[in-house]
Amino acid sequence: MITGILSLYSKTALAVKITETNCTVAVNADENDKLFGSVTPEDIVKAMKLTDLTVEAKQIKIPRPIKSIGVFDVKINLEMGVVADLKVLVF
């Protein structure tokens, strides 16, 4: 029981850190700001590691493909019902 409470607490603390962080992904785009491909969960994982935050790609939920430059909201499912909102800056 105590282990479960501590795990929930650590997931919640991680969610707060993620929500307070902006993740920046540098991409190649054409003159109309359209990407050559799209931003993947793996790209976001790599960018998050630069801010000392570690999650798995399977935890990242992108509501629709990111195929242009801009700011996008993604959800990160951290287990135990804890979900974090992350702003992804694509440029």
Side-chain angles (χ1 to χ4, degrees):
M1 172 95 169
I2 297 294
T3 304
I5 292 171
L6 291 175
S7 182
L8 178 59
Y9 176 78
S10 68
K11 299 293 181 194
T12 303
L14 178 58
V16 170
K17 286 182 185 178
I18 290 171
T19 301
E20 293 173 346
T21 301
N22 290 326
C23 177
T24 303
V25 178
V27 296
N28 292 319
D30 67 15
E31 62 276 355
N32 296 318
D33 294 338
K34 299 294 179 193
L35 305 187
F36 299 113
S38 62
V39 175
T40 66
E42 290 80 8
D43 296 325
I44 295 170
V45 167
K46 289 178 190 174
M48 288 181 71
K49 284 183 182 177
L50 297 174
T51 62
D52 294 326
L53 294 171
T54 303
V55 298
E56 295 179 28
K58 67 182 180 181
Q59 294 175 290
I60 298 173
K61 304 301 177 208
I62 302 173
R64 57 187 100 84
I66 299 174
K67 295 186 174 196
S68 62
I69 291 174
V71 180
F72 302 88
D73 295 313
V74 300
K75 302 271 186 200
I76 301 178
N77 295 322
L78 298 172
E79 301 171 350
M80 303 180 78
V82 179
V83 178
D85 295 310
L86 175 69
K87 288 243 184 260
V88 179
L89 311 168
V90 178
F91 72 96

